[in-house]
Amino acid sequence: MSSTVQRAAGDSGDSGDLAIETRGLTKRFGERAAIDGVDLRVPRGCAFGFLGPNGAGKTTMIRTLLGLTHASAGTMHVLGHPVPLERGQALQRVGAIVEEPRFHMHLSGRENLRIVAAARGPETRERIDPALARVGLSDRASEKVKKYSMGMRQRLGVARCLLADPLLLILDEPTNGLDPGGIQEFREMVRAMVEQEGRTVFISSHLLDEVEKTCDAAAIVDRGKVVTQGAMADLAAGGTVRHELILGVDDAERALETLKGSELVLEARPSDEGLRVILAGGPQTAAQLNAVLVGAGIGVMRLEPVRHSLEARFLEITSRLDAHVEPREVSA
Ligand code: ATP
């Protein structure tokens, strides 16, 4: 996977290093904010997943980035250009599929691309065959599009984007409706565009597994807000949303009683591995918790942070945002 991500995903960077950068980006429809103060940083040269449940604001984000709808507040840069001020320059090297790609169904895949190329410069025509090869449609390019499967149409859509030799591809839910074989082909195509051609591919998706397998970095979005973002490995390692410990103690009953009265703990319960404790504060709270237990004469043999899988984090984040107020309680 791309090393660029490791370098760029964490820092604030300047927008020249980033394919997409937004600050405080907000889009309201009446009272409702479909995007709500989003600071997004998409490093160049990676596959980036924009991951969130239905209605999270993914399509609105993409439409705003492309200037198809106006932002209500905030700023954005695409390939280093401020949008909407320099929208034309920004989008020159951007290819996007926002809805299911539409084609002339009675024409072949290649003929469809020729029509697009005719409206552009001669160099675009020369890109038709490499683009068809990149998306794996060379053998089927002479067939009418109406005979294409959904996956083939999606890939032809990408080939059409490639005619502009884009630095950045923006694909809205590209694997919707594809069967497992189609999803696999799509994934390989994205990886090749990133690794062999150095393009940036921004993919919105509600499928965690898909983003995990395809992308180098991601942002998790819910109700218009980016909850967390960064390199995939960092997201999977977790630790920024909820700090959870497994405790091994010599007297579990007394330990639970002690924790019940502690401000340091949101929840504590017995589990197969020992006591599972959700801390009220950051990781440093673990040391305080240890001191409290030892002070109460309880021996602590094990104190281990729980590593969350990205799946657990995704579920945790979306369900956490559902709960308006977390009651502070300790259950045994
Ligand atoms: P899905 O995966 O279901 O397409 P999404 O993450 O792409 O979801 P959006 O389509 O961006 O989400 O919608 C985000 C929110 O904004 C939703 O509550 C939606 O109802 C609202 N919304 C989107 N477009 C409009 C519009 N044109 N007018 C009013 N509300 C809108």
Side-chain angles (χ1 to χ4, degrees):
M1 297 232 169
S2 167
S3 59
T4 320
V5 172
Q6 303 300 335
R7 182 165 46 80
D11 56 38
S12 60
D14 82 55
S15 41
D17 288 341
L18 299 172
I20 298 171
E21 185 184 34
T22 72
R23 287 176 195 252
L25 195 66
T26 300
K27 172 67 186 178
R28 285 189 204 92
F29 294 108
E31 290 290 293
R32 182 197 295 263
I35 321 172
D36 194 356
V38 167
D39 296 334
L40 185 68
R41 294 183 303 277
V42 178
R44 290 186 187 238
C46 75
F48 190 97
F50 197 56
L51 175 67
N54 290 338
K58 303 182 297 294
T59 302
T60 305
M61 183 72 186
I62 288 176
R63 292 179 58 80
T64 310
L65 285 171
L66 295 171
L68 298 173
T69 184
H70 291 295
S72 313
T75 61
M76 53 190 160
H77 284 77
V78 175
L79 297 175
H81 294 281
V83 177
L85 195 65
E86 296 177 8
R87 178 175 180 264
Q89 282 161 279
L91 298 192
Q92 240 168 25
R93 300 293 300 275
V94 175
I97 307 179
V98 182
E99 280 156 10
E100 199 179 308
R102 295 205 183 94
F103 299 100
H104 301 285
M105 301 302 258
H106 60 289
L107 299 179
S108 72
R110 183 178 279 106
E111 284 164 340
N112 269 277
L113 297 193
R114 279 190 186 139
I115 289 174
V116 176
R120 297 170 176 250
E123 73 282 2
T124 310
R125 207 179 159 80
E126 284 161 25
R127 291 187 194 131
I128 292 176
D129 283 326
L132 286 166
R134 161 53 66 224
V135 303
L137 281 179
S138 300
D139 292 349
R140 311 284 300 268
S142 305
E143 281 178 41
K144 289 184 177 171
V145 173
K146 69 179 172 193
K147 292 191 188 164
Y148 282 14
S149 68
M150 174 88 99
M152 290 165 71
R153 284 177 206 170
Q154 284 286 15
R155 286 187 278 139
L156 187 62
V158 173
R160 185 164 62 189
C161 290
L162 290 176
L163 296 182
D165 193 17
L167 294 170
L168 169 64
L169 280 114
I170 297 181
L171 308 175
D172 192 13
E173 299 268 7
T175 57
N176 261 5
L178 300 193
D179 60 20
I183 291 175
Q184 173 69 20
E185 285 169 0
F186 204 88
R187 185 181 307 145
E188 285 165 11
M189 183 184 73
V190 168
R191 291 309 318 162
M193 290 194 295
V194 171
E195 285 166 18
Q196 295 167 23
E197 295 161 9
R199 303 185 203 274
T200 307
V201 185
F202 180 92
I203 300 169
S204 83
S205 176
H206 64 280
L207 301 173
L208 172 69
D209 179 58
E210 194 41 43
V211 168
E212 233 176 346
K213 286 185 177 145
T214 312
C215 298
D216 307 282
I220 299 180
V221 59
D222 202 4
R223 299 184 189 180
K225 289 185 193 288
V226 166
V227 182
T228 183
Q229 64 184 309
M232 207 47 109
D234 295 341
L235 292 180
T240 56
V241 169
R242 188 170 79 165
H243 297 281
E244 194 168 357
L245 299 174
I246 297 174
L247 280 181
V249 289
D250 61 3
D251 188 339
E253 220 168 285
R254 277 191 52 228
L256 277 174
E257 246 174 59
T258 307
L259 296 177
K260 220 178 253 181
S262 171
E263 285 275 298
L264 303 171
V265 169
L266 282 180
E267 187 186 308
R269 62 186 163 81
S271 77
D272 292 345
E273 306 149 296
L275 299 181
R276 281 185 89 104
V277 176
I278 300 172
L279 298 176
Q284 74 286 354
T285 318
Q288 295 168 265
L289 187 88
N290 186 43
V292 167
L293 290 171
V294 172
I298 297 161
V300 179
M301 286 93 73
R302 181 180 173 203
L303 195 150
E304 186 184 327
V306 176
R307 298 253 165 253
H308 292 284
S309 72
L310 193 56
E311 182 179 16
R313 296 220 342 121
F314 187 49
L315 287 172
E316 177 183 283
I317 283 160
T318 49
S319 61
R320 190 175 60 100
L321 292 179
D322 272 340
H324 298 299
V325 183
E326 287 274 355
R328 172 182 277 264
E329 67 175 27
V330 178
S331 59

